[in-house]
Amino acid sequence: MMNEALRDPAGIFQERMVKITCDLCPQDDERGVLYVSQDLELVAHQNCLLYSSGLVESEGDHPCLNDQDRLFDVDSVKEEISRGKKLKCSYCLKKGATVGCDVKKCSKNYHFFCSRQDQATIQADERGGTYKVFCQKHALGKNNRVFSAKVDMLKKMKNTGLIENLFEALLEDLDGIHFKIKDNTTSEKELQEIANLIFDSAIFKNSLRKISADTVISKFQTEQEHLQKKIEVLKDIGENLFPPQKEIQH
């Protein structure tokens, strides 16, 4: 809970001005986006809320832990905190472990950041609004099933000729991204989305690795040296063949 001395009398709370502790996490930790209730009584990391097994984002207007795109009911959060007090973390062995492995038969529970330390797999579906954690044991089996399903789907698309359609759509999307980056009217938010897409994608990372390779850098340096030589020759031509004419004084 937040100390009375840290309250904002104007009713405006800026999280970066005060070091606070997540009510769902046992550590004094500033990681992640923090949410506060309107009365500033509850404070929690965004991921601690999203991945807690007993919490879902709510709808409508009421006292809540919120941000522009997140909405959590205060009473539900309090209930989750109470539930967590009965659960011991499988990693740090402390109480307050509200993040459970998503396999129903599994008894492993974590604090969100402890789940990462224990090499659990984090799965987020922003559009679907689902956030899951799988312990090491169940993540391996799940990932194998997911990879197998993806390979099967790729083979089906190949056999039905849909691969061409897929790559046509990809090229169209890439062309749109290229246009937006070059367009001076593209908003900062759109550029942020594009940056996330580029730097979080394995395909883009591989492309970035290629263009940042030593051989590419060496090629550009050689081209720069040749360009500099061309500039020097052009300057020499101008100075020797077309010297500036002196002004004739009357």
Side-chain angles (χ1 to χ4, degrees), residues 71-82:
L71 195 63
F72 295 97
D73 179 76
V74 168
D75 290 336
S76 297
V77 174
K78 288 180 178 179
E79 289 177 8
E80 187 68 351
I81 292 170
S82 297

Side-chain angles (χ1 to χ4, degrees), residues 51-105:
Y51 290 91
S52 284
S53 303
L55 270 180
V56 292
E57 292 187 64
S58 53
E59 299 178 358
D61 298 323
H62 38 67
C64 59
L65 299 174
N66 69 83
D67 193 79
Q68 293 181 354
D69 57 348
R70 300 296 181 198
L71 195 63
F72 295 97
D73 179 76
V74 168
D75 290 336
S76 297
V77 174
K78 288 180 178 179
E79 289 177 8
E80 187 68 351
I81 292 170
S82 297
R83 187 181 74 87
K85 289 178 180 178
K86 305 171 187 176
L87 301 172
K88 185 183 291 186
C89 178
S90 300
Y91 181 77
C92 72
L93 304 181
K94 295 179 181 179
K95 295 290 184 67
T98 57
V99 179
C101 175
D102 205 66
V103 174
K104 292 182 179 180
K105 294 181 179 180

Side-chain angles (χ1 to χ4, degrees), residues 14-27:
Q14 299 181 29
E15 64 183 54
R16 285 179 292 182
M17 294 176 61
V18 184
K19 188 175 182 180
I20 53 181
T21 303
C22 170
D23 285 295
L24 296 177
C25 187
Q27 305 166 349

Side-chain angles (χ1 to χ4, degrees), residues 177-221:
I177 290 172
H178 185 202
F179 176 80
K180 281 185 175 292
I181 292 174
K182 295 178 69 176
D183 187 359
N184 292 330
T185 64
T186 300
S187 69
E188 192 69 21
K189 183 178 179 181
E190 286 177 308
L191 287 174
Q192 287 176 356
E193 291 174 352
I194 291 171
N196 288 335
L197 178 65
I198 289 175
F199 293 108
D200 290 344
S201 167
I203 293 177
F204 278 114
K205 282 182 180 179
N206 189 47
S207 299
L208 289 169
R209 189 179 294 111
K210 287 180 181 178
I211 67 171
S212 62
D214 290 340
T215 52
V216 178
I217 294 172
S218 177
K219 177 186 174 183
F220 284 143
Q221 287 174 337

Side-chain angles (χ1 to χ4, degrees), residues 141-157:
K142 175 185 173 297
N143 287 339
N144 286 339
R145 289 194 298 273
V146 170
F147 291 148
S148 178
K150 288 179 178 178
V151 170
D152 288 342
M153 184 60 67
L154 198 61
K155 288 178 178 178
K156 288 178 181 178
M157 293 181 72

